[in-house]
Structures are given as C-alpha cells and as structure tokens.
Amino acid sequence: MIRLACAVTLVSLVPLFAMLFRTDASTAIPFSFLGHGALGLAIAILAWHLWRPARLSDEERALHQRSFASLSPRDFAYLVALGVWRDSGSGEALTRAGEPVRDVHVLASGSVSVSAQGQRIGTLGPGQMVGAASIFGDEEAPAQAVTEEQTRSLSWSVTALRAALDGKPSLRAALQAIVIEDLSTKLRSLI
Amino acid sequence: MGSDPLSSLFVHPGDASESLLWLVPVASALVAAAICVIGLVRGRLGETLFVTGVAFLPALAFALSDVVLMERSTQTSFCTSCHLMQPVHDSTVDENDSLASIHVTRGAVPTATSCYTCHSGYGMRGTLDAKLAGTRHMLHTVLGSYELPLKHHGTYNIDSCLSCHAESSRFRSGDAQAAHLAVEESLLAGEMTCTGMCHPAAHPPEALTGEEFAR
C-alpha cells in the first residue's frame, strides 16, 4: 500500500511540472486536472492505509485482549501482519541458554518450561512471551524455553521486528511497556 | 505595439516575483519525489515521512502551482496560446475603431493582461467565473467543438466597463449621465450592454473568423 501511494504520488508530480513549464492553455489546464486527480487518489490511498478498520480473527482478538490490550487494534493488526502463527509439538526448544534469540513468541495456547543451568525456573502459559527481552536489549537467551505440550504461538523474527519498530516510535514505546510488564509478571511469580 | 521596442522605456516592466514563484512548488515537489522514491525502494516509511511525502508536500506544491497558473492565465500570451485568439489579440493592438483597440492602443487597459482585464468580472467571483469560462474555452478548443465566427456567450458583463468608468467625471457629466440614465434599467438588467450597441463592437468581425487578422 505504501509503494502504491508513493507510485501514484510520483505519477501526479509529472503533470505538475508540465503545469509549471508549459505556457499554453491547452496543455497546462488538462495537466492541472490530471495532476490534481492523481494526487487525490494518492491521498485517498494514504488515508485508507492509515485509517482502514483493523480486521482481527477470533484468535488474534483473544490474544490482543489478553496480552496487548494497551495497543490499538490497528497497531496490533500491524504486529500480527509482521509475524507468523506457529504450532509447536511437545519438547521443542524455543530458546537455548547462551544462544542468540532469533524469534520472539507470544503463547496463545499450551505451556513452556523455562530452565537455566539445569534448574527449572518456571512455566509460561497463554499470553506470556518468550524471548521478548531480545527485541530491545540482550541478544542471547539467558535461559532455555521448551514446550511441554502442543503449543500455538504468534512469532516474530527479532531482526524484522526491530526494523519495523524503527519506523514507528510510538508503537515501539508501547511494546516496550508490554514487554516490561511481561517481565515483571514473570519476576513476581518467582518471588 | 511594435515588436521591436526602441528602448526599455517601451517594454512592459513585468513582474519579477512571478518569475521566481515557480521555484517553491518545484522545490516542494522534488522533496516529495525523493521521499516517494525512498518509499518505493524500501517498501516502508515512517508515518510522518509518509504523510509528508505523499500528502503535505505534494498538496503544497499543487496549491502553489495553482497560484502560478492562475497568475499566468491572466496574461494575454496565455489566451493567445490558443490559435483562435491570436487574430482577436492582433485586432486589439491594431489601430482600428473597435472598442478593444481603442482601450488597448491608448493604454487604458494593461496590454499584458488586456484579455483578462475586460473578460473577468469584478472581485474574486469575477476571477473564478473567468477561470471557469477559460476552462470551457480550452475544452472547446481541444475538442474542436467551437463555432465560427466566435460569439460572446450571453450579454457582455458591464461590470467590466463600470469598474473603470463608473466614477469617472466624464461618465458622470451632464450629457453622458442623461444618456445612460435613459437605458439604466436595461443595462442593469443585462438586457443590453455597452459594446456593439451605442458604443463600437468590442472586436472587429474579421477578427472572430479564426483567420489571420490583416492589419
């Protein structure tokens, strides 16, 4: 949609230069109409991109309400579009201690066991995040996270998520607050 | 009005500001184009940059271009860019008995904007009406849907005459005042106009045929 709006805008600027550099009425006036029309179309595409209603599936809506309620449905739909839904069987390692975290996961169903230095630390359930701290800081996982059962999660590539958030500072800040809240909840469960 | 002026004294002073006004919309458009190229290549743009490059700067560029075009369209050269108007213009700068020639050759209307001066009504509404009429004329020219000889659509608006003459002492003097008062109702109702009836026709008939005007 961004590429389309940019392309239509570029097309609209061609008649603008014709308007300015052609001095005869029979070309300057038609080019004026063409240029304004194309610009109107570009602005309509822009408005649609910015304000189109967010469409979330039941599963996405449930995850939004559980873990991302502070985000607008539009912002959450943007995040969903960046990620992929993933089904993991029992015993699958989502992170390994000391290794770079490549993907961030939010659990929609199932459970994940977290352990460090051979000791079990806790269990994560639906709505909780795995590897989220790596979005904003540590690139290596401090602990191992292994699925205990059939698990469904919404996952993002850390690299892609960071790049997307670079262009959206307000979403970045909102997501940072959500990650902090998630980490706080995990710490409270340990005390 | 000779084509080879004797000195700069015989050249229209012109408006230097218009010659530079086009720079601003061009600059806005170039910046917008640069942002759009980045958006096309990367496939993503920050929201602020997106709105600036796709909406704000192009809208600014078009608004300023409209100002330039509106200003430029008041120039006689803009009107005569359509071939049909060239003979009409030639007749105004020629010494003949037509009302337009009387005004233009005596400098009563600016030569650079002679068409617009007489063919736009008074105030902003007059300007807008003139632009709409010009757009219709352009369409007729492009589509070839005009008829010869050219005819004025409806009665000529006497506001164009009154804007200069209404408060002139000659117009308000005894004989002239009485003569105009006698037909005041018809004039104000638009049933008659100043040109082609009591006063000479605005343009000689041979200038309205589309053929080259012989001076």
Side-chain angles (χ1 to χ4, degrees):
Chain A
M1 197 66 81
I2 289 178
R3 281 198 164 108
L4 180 62
C6 289
V8 174
T9 300
L10 280 172
V11 166
S12 79
L13 293 177
V14 173
L16 179 134
F17 286 106
M19 266 169 74
L20 288 171
F21 296 116
R22 293 289 302 199
T23 55
D24 56 300
S26 57
T27 49
I29 297 174
F31 275 127
S32 170
F33 282 123
L34 275 173
H36 283 81
L39 180 65
L41 180 63
I43 292 175
I45 295 170
L46 168 74
W48 171 252
H49 175 76
L50 292 178
W51 293 309
R52 69 186 184 279
R55 284 203 191 100
L56 297 171
S57 65
D58 292 340
E59 184 178 41
E60 289 159 359
R61 202 171 298 118
L63 191 61
H64 173 244
Q65 284 167 358
R66 172 178 269 155
S67 308
F68 295 90
S70 59
L71 294 184
S72 68
R74 167 176 306 287
D75 281 342
F76 183 64
Y78 175 77
L79 285 179
V80 169
L82 288 173
V84 289
W85 283 100
R86 181 174 162 169
D87 291 303
S88 309
S90 173
E92 190 172 323
L94 301 181
T95 63
R96 293 182 202 282
E99 288 185 13
V101 176
R102 291 203 165 73
D103 297 302
V104 177
H105 313 268
V106 178
L107 303 179
S109 64
S111 59
V112 167
S113 162
V114 180
S115 56
Q117 295 173 339
Q119 282 210 318
R120 185 190 173 91
I121 299 173
T123 305
L124 303 178
Q128 290 187 292
M129 296 182 170
V130 178
S134 63
I135 303 172
F136 306 107
D138 301 331
E139 297 200 4
E140 287 182 1
Q144 178 159 285
V146 178
T147 55
E148 292 180 323
E149 56 181 310
Q150 191 73 20
T151 301
R152 186 159 166 83
S153 59
L154 181 59
S155 306
W156 296 273
S157 149
V158 171
T159 315
L161 192 56
R162 277 188 191 153
L165 292 176
D166 277 347
K168 287 184 170 281
S170 58
L171 178 58
R172 182 188 172 86
L175 192 59
Q176 206 161 11
I178 290 170
V179 169
I180 289 170
E181 177 61 31
D182 178 73
L183 288 171
S184 302
T185 306
K186 287 167 182 166
L187 282 172
R188 277 196 294 270
S189 70
L190 292 175
I191 297 169
Chain B
M1 308 294 156
S3 57
D4 296 317
L6 299 170
S7 74
S8 55
L9 187 65
F10 298 95
V11 176
H12 192 277
D15 183 0
S17 60
E18 197 272 327
S19 66
L20 295 174
L21 185 60
W22 62 270
L23 280 174
V24 182
V26 166
S28 303
L30 287 175
V31 175
I35 294 172
C36 288
V37 166
I38 293 170
L40 259 182
V41 169
R42 292 179 76 195
R44 59 184 172 86
L45 274 177
E47 200 167 293
T48 306
L49 211 54
F50 189 33
V51 172
T52 302
V54 169
F56 178 69
L57 284 177
L60 177 69
F62 270 98
L64 291 172
S65 296
D66 288 341
V67 171
V68 172
L69 191 58
M70 292 276 275
E71 193 55 35
R72 198 176 284 166
S73 66
T74 64
Q75 301 294 309
T76 304
S77 57
F78 192 82
C79 305
T80 57
S81 67
C82 286
H83 69 284
L84 281 174
M85 290 295 114
Q86 190 61 52
V88 181
H89 173 257
D90 289 345
S91 72
T92 65
V93 297
D94 179 60
E95 296 268 0
N96 56 62
D97 295 331
S98 68
L99 207 58
S101 170
I102 291 169
H103 284 80
V104 173
T105 56
R106 293 177 189 180
V109 296
T111 51
T113 59
S114 56
C115 307
Y116 177 75
T117 303
C118 296
H119 285 283
S120 65
Y122 194 65
M124 189 189 257
R125 172 68 197 269
T127 297
L128 288 173
D129 285 345
K131 301 310 172 193
L132 284 171
T135 305
R136 284 196 297 271
H137 298 160
M138 181 277 300
L139 281 171
H140 284 308
T141 304
V142 169
L143 298 173
S145 57
Y146 50 84
E147 284 179 10
L148 293 171
L150 300 172
K151 284 193 239 8
H152 191 273
H153 185 70
T155 314
Y156 182 73
N157 188 343
I158 65 168
D159 282 351
S160 299
C161 311
L162 293 177
S163 60
C164 291
H165 289 283
E167 295 185 9
S168 75
S169 54
R170 283 183 66 176
F171 184 72
R172 289 174 164 212
S173 69
D175 289 346
Q177 191 189 77
H180 288 100
L181 283 174
V183 290
E184 182 188 19
E185 263 187 49
S186 296
L187 280 171
L188 294 177
E191 291 163 6
M192 67 182 289
T193 186
C194 308
T195 170
M197 294 179 186
C198 303
H199 297 287
H203 303 287
E206 55 271 29
L208 304 175
T209 61
E211 303 293 325
E212 188 179 334
F213 181 76
R215 298 193 192 190

